Amino acid sequence: MTQSFDLPQVQDPQVDEFLQELASIQQTGSKRIALLGSRHVPIIHQNMIEMLSYALVLSGNQLLTSGSTGTNAAAIRGAMRADPNLLTVVLPQSLDRQPPESRRQLDNVMHLVEKPEQDEMSLAEASALCNQEIISRCQQLVCFAFHDSNTLLKTCREAEDLRKLVTLFYFD
């Protein structure tokens, strides 16, 4: 004879987070991973971020990032070396509004999303909206920030509110 038990529903956010992380670790298929971070990154950290994005894409994961210098440029370099088809770059504004060094790199990106309707906004406002779109498209967020990187830290909180797995690295 089989007995069934109704387990009580647990409303503990820590338990929910633990179960979400466990499910993510056990997932063997590819994921949509967003990699975002500060523009002001030392070259040694950029090299590590590039290697991380290379490994993530080489493992079959889809990588989403934005188009600025620093962290995002390093993520783009790594993903482009591994498999350019698995990289999506979402810009906060149109390509014309990007600095020349970013435009040269972005010219080679196959999946580029521009937001010309946000050209009249400040870069901070447009970046916040861009980050929201990126986290809406991903399953997991990896973020590199400083303790005073307000826009990035807000993005991490928003991703957590959307029940995304968030890994946050601090430079300071």
Side-chain angles (χ1 to χ4, degrees):
M1 180 172 207
T2 305
Q3 255 185 325
S4 67
F5 296 96
D6 289 328
L7 296 175
Q9 293 293 326
V10 179
Q11 298 296 326
D12 184 349
Q14 289 179 327
V15 172
D16 287 345
E17 184 177 338
F18 171 76
L19 293 174
Q20 181 182 6
E21 289 178 11
L22 181 60
S24 178
I25 291 167
Q26 291 176 330
Q27 181 182 357
T28 56
S30 66
K31 298 177 193 166
R32 288 180 316 279
I33 300 174
L35 201 155
L36 297 172
S38 176
R39 292 175 181 81
H40 311 289
V41 182
I43 193 71
I44 190 73
H45 291 115
Q46 288 184 40
N47 291 339
M48 290 189 300
I49 293 165
E50 185 176 338
M51 285 189 294
L52 174 63
S53 71
Y54 176 78
L56 288 170
V57 172
L58 203 59
S59 300
N61 296 294
Q62 295 177 34
L63 191 75
L64 295 114
T65 192
S66 192
S68 68
T69 58
T71 299
N72 299 341
I76 293 168
R77 285 192 304 272
M80 293 292 285
R81 279 191 347 198
D83 185 348
N85 197 44
L86 293 177
L87 171 67
T88 300
V89 177
V90 180
L91 299 177
Q93 297 171 319
S94 65
L95 185 59
D96 294 341
R97 298 287 306 252
Q98 305 308 306
E101 63 275 8
S102 293
R103 271 188 265 155
R104 283 190 291 278
Q105 183 183 42
L106 295 169
D107 282 341
N108 298 314
V109 173
M110 294 166 47
H111 305 289
L112 183 67
V113 179
E114 294 182 64
K115 297 292 182 177
E117 66 276 12
Q118 296 175 179
D119 281 354
E120 299 306 314
M121 294 179 181
S122 72
L123 181 57
E125 291 172 314
S127 293
L129 291 173
C130 176
N131 290 352
Q132 286 175 353
E133 179 170 342
I134 289 170
I135 61 173
S136 75
R137 293 177 175 218
C138 76
Q139 296 167 290
Q140 182 174 353
L141 170 63
V142 178
C143 187
F144 295 88
F146 293 93
H147 281 88
D148 63 353
S149 301
N150 296 325
T151 300
L152 290 169
L153 297 177
K154 182 176 183 249
T155 298
C156 289
R157 286 190 300 273
E158 289 170 353
E160 287 171 341
D161 290 346
L162 293 171
R163 308 184 61 68
K164 310 284 180 163
L165 184 60
V166 176
T167 305
L168 175 58
F169 295 100
Y170 286 101
F171 290 120
D172 55 358

